[in-house]
Amino acid sequence: MKSEKKRLKRLGSLNITLWKYFCFFAVFIILLIGIICYVIVSNSFLGFMQDKIRSVGFSVTDRLLEAMSMNPAVAYSEMDEYIVEQAMKNNMNIAVLTPEGNVVLPVEEHINDNERDYWLEVRGAVSEKLDDSENGIAIFSEGSVFTYAAKTPFAAMPASDNYLVVRYSLDIANNTMSAVQRYMIIVGVFAILIAFLIAYSLSQRVSDPLKSLTATANKMAKGNYDVKFASAEYQEIAQLSDALNYACAEIKKTDGFQKELLANVSHDLRTPLTMIKAYASMIKEISGDNREKREQHLQVIIDEADRLTGLVNDVLNVSKIRSDINQINKKVFNLTEFLYGIMKKFEYLRDMQGYTFMVDIDPDTYTCADEEKIGQVLYNLISNAVNYTGDDKTVYVSLKRDPGRGRVKFKVRDTGRGIAKEDLPVIWDRYYRVKERHARPVKGSGLGLSIVKAILERHSFDFGADSELGKGSEFWVDFPEVPAELPEKSDTGQN
Ligand code: ADP
């Protein structure tokens, strides 16, 4: 028990394992999506800003060129207004500088000292890049700052080789990006928490039906066969619970059968054993010296021992039949010869006990069936007729061909007490005899006909019994007739 617990502990729970895998999967997916989003967003943002700075630079340059044809004073104030407006709108620094770094635009009122110093610092890098450029335009980035610079011959300027500079600091973009990042982390954490919960409920949904099946199976193991394995919402688990329900029903049947068998067998064993003991005592104490009486009493002991042997054989047969009733090995065989073989077993009754067997058997009839099991059928039916026949000790056995129907009919008739009409359908039930309240039968366990019935039903052969009280009974089996040369057939399936 302890090692079982240890083993279970080592195996781990399906529920927790599923949950772990679900969580791992969820975290992996969420992180992957987060990283992909971050890379895509930051790359496209950078691209977007580069495009933006270029387009602002081009549009200011175009306006400067246009303005050259205007009245210088008007051009000057219009360009000032335009540059301030563009800088505000796009969050950029825009200015027109002299080669020395003095600010030409925006006008003095729109610029402070700090900005003036800023542009003075920018000048060096810008003029260098512009000198290197072929078309008078340079776009470059330094640290987190993007710069667009273009030489511009703006007429209103004091010098003709002034230049336009547009700058955008990525610090703003980076701030935006880190805000996005923060937002994504919060969303990610929530997503992971929700994924944990969903994973938990999913793993519960998979493992709960299994737990319930285990609980039901434990009840069944304790002997409660009335349990019902609940069907779950998943195909595989529903199939498992169906299989368990089937197994439970089968175990219940077997269990019932075993209890019934045990009760009946112990009941049946007690009677002959009591008789044997009683008659043995009688021989010892009373009839030991009286030869005639002793013989009588010994005969009772022999009969009762026979009864015991018959009973034990039947019990063994019935368990064997139950275990391999579905295993039918059909083959073609000579039924006539086979029946003669079975009849041989009863010869000792003719020779020793004065029984008469009246036979009417057609030669060379062939059928296709499980030879061994059909042997049990014929033997049981004939021995019943022997056991229950009347005082004339006569048994009629016939095997007649019915060519019109392609059948061979086996009949065995006795002249005994017969069977009441209402009993005819139930004699095929197990232990029918035990249910009889009157007269103890000569021999037998009450299992013989149930064995016959199981075998013939498995073969799908017709069979039956006719009887009239006081006149005797006739049992019959309808075999299919097949040609002798038919090849062997084997049927091991279930019908
Ligand atoms: P048993 O081992 O007691 O013969 P069976 O299953 O072979 O058990 O038969 C069941 C019951 O059917 C018998 O106990 C008997 O009452 C009745 N029976 C069977 N065969 C005959 C027969 N030939 N004549 C009268 N009764 C019979």
Side-chain angles (χ1 to χ4, degrees), residues 314 380-381 384-389 414 416-419 427-429 431-434 436 441 443-450 467 472-475:
D314 276 356
N380 275 337
L381 293 179
N384 270 356
V386 168
N387 287 338
Y388 297 104
T389 196
D414 62 70
R417 59 183 169 143
I419 305 163
I427 49 169
W428 306 95
D429 293 345
Y431 304 119
Y432 160 74
R433 183 185 64 81
V434 178
E436 266 184 356
K443 266 183 192 176
S445 57
L447 293 170
L449 288 184
S450 76
S467 183
S473 320
E474 184 177 80
F475 285 78

Coordinates of all heavy atoms in Angstrom, one line a residue, residues 314 380-381 384-389 414 416-419 427-429 431-434 436 441 443-450 467 472-475, ligand 1:
D314 N -20.3 -31.5 -14.6 CA -21.2 -30.5 -15.1 C -20.7 -29.1 -14.8 O -20.7 -28.2 -15.5 CB -22.6 -30.7 -14.7 CG -23.3 -31.7 -15.6 OD1 -22.7 -32.1 -16.5 OD2 -24.5 -32.0 -15.3
N380 N -25.3 -35.0 -23.4 CA -26.2 -34.5 -22.4 C -27.6 -35.0 -22.7 O -28.4 -35.4 -21.7 CB -26.2 -33.0 -22.3 CG -25.1 -32.5 -21.4 OD1 -24.6 -33.3 -20.6 ND2 -24.6 -31.3 -21.6
L381 N -28.1 -34.8 -23.9 CA -29.5 -35.2 -24.3 C -29.7 -36.7 -24.1 O -30.7 -37.1 -23.5 CB -29.8 -34.7 -25.7 CG -29.8 -33.2 -25.9 CD1 -30.1 -32.9 -27.4 CD2 -30.8 -32.5 -25.0
N384 N -29.7 -37.5 -20.4 CA -31.0 -37.1 -19.7 C -32.1 -38.2 -20.0 O -32.8 -38.6 -19.1 CB -31.5 -35.8 -20.3 CG -30.9 -34.6 -19.5 OD1 -30.2 -34.9 -18.5 ND2 -31.2 -33.4 -19.9
A385 N -32.1 -38.6 -21.3 CA -33.2 -39.6 -21.6 C -33.0 -40.9 -20.8 O -33.9 -41.5 -20.3 CB -33.1 -39.9 -23.1
V386 N -31.7 -41.2 -20.7 CA -31.4 -42.4 -19.9 C -31.8 -42.2 -18.4 O -32.5 -43.1 -17.8 CB -29.8 -42.7 -19.9 CG1 -29.5 -43.8 -18.9 CG2 -29.5 -43.2 -21.3
N387 N -31.5 -41.1 -17.9 CA -31.8 -40.8 -16.5 C -33.3 -40.7 -16.2 O -33.8 -41.0 -15.1 CB -31.2 -39.4 -16.1 CG -29.7 -39.6 -15.9 OD1 -29.2 -40.7 -15.7 ND2 -29.0 -38.5 -16.0
Y388 N -34.0 -40.2 -17.2 CA -35.5 -39.9 -16.9 C -36.4 -40.9 -17.6 O -37.6 -40.7 -17.5 CB -35.8 -38.5 -17.3 CG -35.1 -37.4 -16.6 CD1 -34.0 -36.7 -17.1 CD2 -35.4 -37.2 -15.2 CE1 -33.3 -35.8 -16.4 CE2 -34.7 -36.2 -14.5 CZ -33.6 -35.6 -15.1 OH -32.9 -34.6 -14.3
T389 N -35.9 -41.9 -18.3 CA -36.8 -42.8 -19.0 C -37.5 -43.7 -18.0 O -37.2 -43.8 -16.8 CB -36.0 -43.6 -20.0 OG1 -36.9 -44.2 -20.9 CG2 -35.2 -44.7 -19.4
D414 N -37.6 -40.7 -24.7 CA -37.6 -41.7 -23.5 C -39.1 -41.9 -23.2 O -40.0 -41.3 -23.8 CB -36.8 -41.1 -22.3 CG -37.5 -39.8 -21.8 OD1 -38.6 -39.9 -21.2 OD2 -36.8 -38.8 -22.0
G416 N -40.3 -41.8 -20.1 CA -40.4 -41.5 -18.6 C -41.6 -40.7 -18.3 O -42.6 -40.7 -19.0
R417 N -41.4 -40.0 -17.2 CA -42.6 -39.2 -16.6 C -43.0 -38.0 -17.4 O -44.1 -37.4 -17.2 CB -42.2 -38.8 -15.2 CG -41.0 -37.9 -15.2 CD -40.6 -37.5 -13.8 NE -39.3 -36.8 -13.9 CZ -38.9 -35.8 -13.2 NH1 -39.6 -35.3 -12.3 NH2 -37.7 -35.3 -13.4
G418 N -42.1 -37.6 -18.4 CA -42.4 -36.4 -19.2 C -42.3 -35.1 -18.4 O -41.9 -35.1 -17.3
I419 N -42.5 -34.1 -19.2 CA -42.3 -32.7 -18.6 C -43.6 -32.0 -18.8 O -44.2 -32.0 -19.9 CB -41.2 -32.0 -19.3 CG1 -39.9 -32.9 -19.2 CG2 -40.9 -30.6 -18.7 CD1 -38.8 -32.4 -20.2
I427 N -37.0 -25.6 -18.7 CA -36.0 -26.6 -18.4 C -34.6 -26.3 -18.9 O -33.6 -26.8 -18.4 CB -36.4 -28.0 -19.0 CG1 -36.7 -27.8 -20.4 CG2 -37.5 -28.7 -18.2 CD1 -36.9 -29.2 -21.1
W428 N -34.5 -25.3 -19.9 CA -33.3 -24.9 -20.4 C -32.5 -23.9 -19.5 O -31.4 -23.6 -19.8 CB -33.5 -24.3 -21.8 CG -34.3 -25.1 -22.7 CD1 -35.6 -25.1 -22.9 CD2 -33.8 -26.2 -23.5 NE1 -36.0 -26.0 -23.8 CE2 -34.9 -26.8 -24.2 CE3 -32.5 -26.8 -23.7 CZ2 -34.8 -27.8 -25.1 CZ3 -32.4 -27.8 -24.6 CH2 -33.5 -28.4 -25.3
D429 N -33.2 -23.4 -18.5 CA -32.5 -22.5 -17.6 C -31.6 -23.2 -16.7 O -31.9 -24.4 -16.3 CB -33.6 -21.7 -16.7 CG -34.4 -20.9 -17.6 OD1 -34.1 -20.6 -18.8 OD2 -35.5 -20.5 -17.1
Y431 N -30.1 -24.6 -13.5 CA -30.6 -25.0 -12.1 C -32.1 -25.1 -12.1 O -32.7 -24.9 -11.1 CB -30.1 -24.0 -11.0 CG -28.7 -23.9 -11.0 CD1 -28.0 -22.7 -11.1 CD2 -27.9 -25.0 -10.8 CE1 -26.7 -22.6 -11.1 CE2 -26.5 -24.9 -10.8 CZ -25.9 -23.7 -10.9 OH -24.6 -23.6 -10.9
Y432 N -32.7 -25.3 -13.2 CA -34.1 -25.5 -13.2 C -34.5 -26.6 -12.2 O -35.5 -26.4 -11.5 CB -34.7 -25.9 -14.6 CG -36.0 -26.5 -14.6 CD1 -37.1 -25.7 -14.3 CD2 -36.2 -27.9 -14.7 CE1 -38.4 -26.2 -14.2 CE2 -37.4 -28.4 -14.6 CZ -38.5 -27.6 -14.4 OH -39.8 -28.2 -14.3
R433 N -33.7 -27.6 -12.2 CA -34.0 -28.8 -11.4 C -34.1 -28.4 -9.9 O -35.0 -28.8 -9.2 CB -33.0 -29.8 -11.5 CG -33.2 -31.1 -10.8 CD -32.0 -32.0 -10.9 NE -30.8 -31.4 -10.3 CZ -30.5 -31.4 -9.0 NH1 -31.3 -32.0 -8.2 NH2 -29.4 -30.9 -8.6
V434 N -33.2 -27.5 -9.5 CA -33.1 -27.0 -8.1 C -34.4 -26.4 -7.7 O -34.9 -26.5 -6.6 CB -31.9 -26.1 -7.9 CG1 -31.9 -25.6 -6.5 CG2 -30.7 -26.9 -8.3
E436 N -37.3 -27.1 -8.7 CA -38.4 -28.1 -8.5 C -38.6 -28.4 -7.0 O -37.6 -28.6 -6.3 CB -38.0 -29.4 -9.2 CG -38.5 -29.5 -10.6 CD -38.2 -30.9 -11.2 OE1 -37.5 -31.6 -10.5 OE2 -38.6 -31.1 -12.3
P441 N -34.4 -35.7 -8.7 CA -34.2 -36.4 -9.9 C -33.1 -37.5 -9.7 O -32.3 -37.4 -8.7 CB -33.7 -35.4 -10.9 CG -33.3 -34.2 -10.2 CD -34.0 -34.3 -8.8
K443 N -30.3 -38.2 -11.3 CA -28.9 -37.7 -11.4 C -28.9 -36.3 -11.9 O -29.9 -35.7 -12.2 CB -28.1 -38.6 -12.4 CG -27.4 -39.7 -11.8 CD -26.6 -40.4 -12.9 CE -26.1 -41.7 -12.4 NZ -25.4 -42.5 -13.4
G444 N -27.7 -35.7 -12.0 CA -27.6 -34.4 -12.7 C -27.6 -33.2 -11.7 O -27.9 -33.3 -10.6
S445 N -27.1 -32.1 -12.3 CA -26.9 -30.9 -11.6 C -27.9 -29.8 -11.9 O -27.9 -28.7 -11.3 CB -25.5 -30.4 -11.9 OG -25.4 -30.2 -13.3
G446 N -28.7 -30.0 -13.0 CA -29.6 -29.0 -13.5 C -28.8 -28.0 -14.4 O -29.3 -26.9 -14.7
L447 N -27.6 -28.4 -14.8 CA -26.8 -27.5 -15.7 C -26.8 -28.0 -17.1 O -26.5 -27.3 -18.0 CB -25.4 -27.4 -15.2 CG -25.2 -26.7 -13.8 CD1 -23.7 -26.9 -13.3 CD2 -25.5 -25.3 -14.0
G448 N -27.1 -29.3 -17.3 CA -26.9 -30.0 -18.6 C -27.6 -29.3 -19.7 O -27.0 -28.9 -20.7
L449 N -28.9 -29.0 -19.6 CA -29.7 -28.4 -20.7 C -29.2 -26.9 -20.9 O -29.3 -26.4 -22.0 CB -31.2 -28.5 -20.4 CG -31.8 -29.9 -20.5 CD1 -33.3 -29.8 -20.3 CD2 -31.5 -30.5 -21.9
S450 N -28.8 -26.3 -19.8 CA -28.3 -24.9 -20.1 C -27.0 -24.9 -20.9 O -26.8 -24.0 -21.7 CB -28.1 -24.1 -18.8 OG -26.9 -24.5 -18.1
S467 N -43.1 -33.0 -25.1 CA -43.3 -33.9 -24.0 C -44.8 -34.0 -23.6 O -45.5 -33.1 -23.8 CB -42.4 -33.5 -22.8 OG -42.6 -34.5 -21.8
G472 N -43.5 -39.5 -21.7 CA -42.1 -39.4 -22.1 C -41.8 -38.1 -22.7 O -42.7 -37.3 -23.0
S473 N -40.5 -37.9 -23.1 CA -40.1 -36.7 -23.7 C -39.3 -36.9 -24.9 O -38.6 -38.0 -25.0 CB -39.3 -35.8 -22.7 OG -39.8 -35.9 -21.4
E474 N -39.3 -35.9 -25.8 CA -38.4 -36.1 -27.0 C -37.7 -34.7 -27.1 O -38.3 -33.7 -27.2 CB -39.3 -36.3 -28.2 CG -38.5 -36.5 -29.4 CD -39.3 -36.9 -30.7 OE1 -39.9 -35.9 -31.2 OE2 -39.4 -38.1 -31.0
F475 N -36.4 -34.9 -27.2 CA -35.5 -33.7 -27.4 C -35.0 -33.8 -28.9 O -34.6 -34.9 -29.3 CB -34.4 -33.6 -26.4 CG -34.8 -33.2 -25.0 CD1 -35.5 -34.1 -24.2 CD2 -34.7 -31.9 -24.6 CE1 -35.9 -33.7 -22.9 CE2 -35.1 -31.5 -23.4 CZ -35.7 -32.4 -22.5
Ligands
ADP1 P1 -30.1 -32.4 -14.9 O1 -28.7 -32.4 -14.7 O2 -30.9 -32.2 -13.6 O3 -30.7 -33.4 -15.8 P2 -30.7 -30.7 -17.1 O4 -30.4 -29.3 -17.3 O5 -30.1 -31.7 -18.0 O6 -30.3 -31.0 -15.6 O7 -32.2 -30.8 -17.1 C1 -33.0 -29.9 -16.4 C2 -34.3 -30.5 -15.9 O8 -35.1 -30.8 -17.0 C3 -34.1 -31.8 -15.2 O9 -33.8 -31.7 -13.9 C4 -35.4 -32.5 -15.4 O10 -36.4 -32.0 -14.5 C5 -35.8 -32.0 -16.8 N1 -35.5 -32.9 -17.8 C6 -34.5 -32.9 -18.7 N2 -34.5 -34.0 -19.5 C7 -35.6 -34.7 -19.2 C8 -36.2 -35.9 -19.7 N3 -35.7 -36.6 -20.8 N4 -37.4 -36.3 -19.2 C9 -37.9 -35.6 -18.2 N5 -37.4 -34.5 -17.6 C10 -36.3 -34.0 -18.1

